[in-house]
Amino acid sequence: MCEAHAFILKDGEEEMFLESVDLVEMEEDEIKLVSIFGEQKILKARLKLYDNTKRKIVFEEL
Amino acid sequence: MCEAHAFILKDGEEEMFLESVDLVEMEEDEIKLVSIFGEQKILKARLKLYDNTKRKIVFEEL
């Protein structure tokens, strides 16, 4: 219910790349995301926006 | 119900600095946080951890 979805900014557009994010861990410039389904994604990015009301986390690539 | 609380890492310890975060916006190296109560905080930091289960967002100061 409470999970947010992760988006990546591409050419000014927000593109969803991971649903129902459970965990986000930053290590150096790499971010590891894990969904509640156990799906994992790693990307070189940084946080741009977290909007609790819209349930979204937006990253921009480095 | 679904809001997470924001913490800042200080000497390896997580210190709460904003309850019930509604919005996090990154601009350059500054992060603006707004709570559901309208309280705003700005700090120079970056995301370290987002843990949906524990309802917390942890930042480390730059």
Side-chain angles (χ1 to χ4, degrees), chain A residues 3-6 16 18-23 34-38, chain B residues 52:
Chain A
E3 294 85 19
H5 305 306
M16 198 197 289
L18 190 65
E19 279 189 85
S20 303
V21 175
D22 189 41
L23 197 69
V34 185
S35 78
I36 58 166
F37 310 110
Chain B
N52 181 62

Side-chain angles (χ1 to χ4, degrees), chain A residues 22-37:
Chain A
D22 189 41
L23 197 69
V24 177
E25 279 181 316
M26 173 75 82
E27 287 175 17
E28 301 293 324
D29 288 337
E30 282 196 341
I31 296 179
K32 184 175 86 171
L33 294 102
V34 185
S35 78
I36 58 166
F37 310 110

Side-chain angles (χ1 to χ4, degrees), chain A residues 25-54:
Chain A
E25 279 181 316
M26 173 75 82
E27 287 175 17
E28 301 293 324
D29 288 337
E30 282 196 341
I31 296 179
K32 184 175 86 171
L33 294 102
V34 185
S35 78
I36 58 166
F37 310 110
E39 191 181 354
Q40 287 192 23
K41 291 208 174 173
I42 290 174
L43 72 161
K44 282 192 185 292
R46 68 170 195 162
L47 179 70
K48 179 68 181 169
L49 178 80
Y50 165 78
D51 190 322
N52 181 62
T53 309
K54 295 183 182 162

